[in-house]
Amino acid sequence: MLVLGIETSCDETAAAVVRDDRTILSNVVLSQLDEHRPYGGVVPEIAARSHLDHIGGLVAKALEEAGIGYEDLDGVAATAGPGLIGGVMVGLMTGKAIALVRDLPFVAVNHMEAHALTPRLTGGIDFPYLALLVSGGHCLLLGVSGPGDYRRYGSTVDDAVGEAFDKTAKMLGLGYPGGPALEAAALAGDPARFALPRPMLGRPGCDFSFSGLKTAVRQTVARLGGGTPDAATAADIAAAFQQAVADVLADRTTHAIARFRKDFPKGDTLVVAGGVAANKVLRATLEKTADKNGMTFTAPPLGLCTDNAAMVAWAGVERLQRGLTDTLDAPARPRWPLDEAPVKSQV
Ligand code: KG4
Ligand code: ZN
């Protein structure tokens, strides 16, 4: 089975072809970083227009690199949310148009489900598993039993963890995008020079909170005299911030492992996915957490942690294998909680 995947929910335009035997035949990603950099964040209108300019060419390139034509496809999968609505519409309409013209089954993919299922594409792991999804818009701990079958253990009560990385990096003058810049700066930093809080640490449950940590960084910068701190100070704050996030993720994940174990005695894998899972310090911390609790750790390779279309195509494969398809009136959804049934179409 060959599935074309399309991803346009944020600032990456992407198309990929994946086969049901877990082969990625092509995976093209066009980042819009340079277009958004002058604004220090993603501008939704610029993103939507750029997706529109590039998606056609990228789909053609994905097919060409895979060495196939439209006639070889068995299905089309496109991200239908959650994300920036203009961009989601561009990818969704492109996918629907291809499915309609070529008379192919169509899958409207939840972007977070695509992240959550990626370890099955890259590692072939079995259900059920515990997933920590950490991205620019989300921070979630889920028991994953199958496509559309999730048990939520915890989520953030305020900011997403990637958002906290991005905002902290901005306060430290580390540039855009914030996550990778902060990780790089932290390499030279001393995490012990500044004391930052660990919100939620030690509390019952598995929820997260990051806004207090962000505020503490702002206050630390202000106490130093305001403005952008010098490079050495920024590195120390970055290291302290990253360590605080690592401690919180480890604590919350330990709680979730206990609950997951009770619900799924046979499950023994911790999966970390989403853009923030590209962070090597966080990966190492969570690997230790898994180890301590007798769980096997897995995380997709870095390039498949951040947004891409191979994960969307794979979510399509998983759904098509189970006969789960969507009609061509599937809506674009700016918000789409993973543990809620997808909206049923009217016809
Ligand atoms: O999954 P993703 O590519 O897009 C969303 O669905 O949000 O995640 C993007 C987020 C951004 O907040 C980015 O700063 C963060 O992932 N990120 C990182 C790293 N690489 C990307 N955060 C920390 N360390 C990194 N190395
Ligand atoms: Zn994402």
Side-chain angles (χ1 to χ4, degrees), residues 7 9-12 111-112 115 134-138 161-166 177-183 242 274-280 282 305-308 311:
E7 161 61 39
S9 67
C10 193
D11 58 346
E12 255 97 32
H111 179 88
M112 295 313 291
H115 277 303
V134 278
S135 73
H138 300 269
V161 58
E163 194 183 347
F165 264 92
D166 294 335
L182 193 147
E183 179 176 15
Q242 191 169 259
V276 181
N279 185 293
K280 293 192 195 68
L282 299 184
C305 279
T306 45
D307 288 350
N308 65 86
M311 69 178 190

Side-chain angles (χ1 to χ4, degrees), residues 149-231:
D149 194 357
Y150 303 95
R151 190 166 301 189
R152 178 156 32 138
Y153 293 119
S155 55
T156 180
V157 298
D158 41 53
D159 294 353
V161 58
E163 194 183 347
F165 264 92
D166 294 335
K167 288 180 178 164
T168 298
K170 208 171 181 176
M171 286 187 261
L172 299 178
L174 295 176
Y176 173 85
L182 193 147
E183 179 176 15
L187 281 175
D190 168 13
R193 179 170 159 209
F194 296 100
L196 292 177
R198 269 98 175 122
M200 297 296 207
L201 193 105
R203 294 235 204 126
C206 312
D207 283 338
F208 303 87
S209 165
F210 293 104
S211 74
L213 179 56
K214 188 185 64 192
T215 306
V217 171
R218 182 172 298 121
Q219 288 165 343
T220 303
V221 172
R223 265 199 304 275
L224 291 165
T228 304
D230 62 77

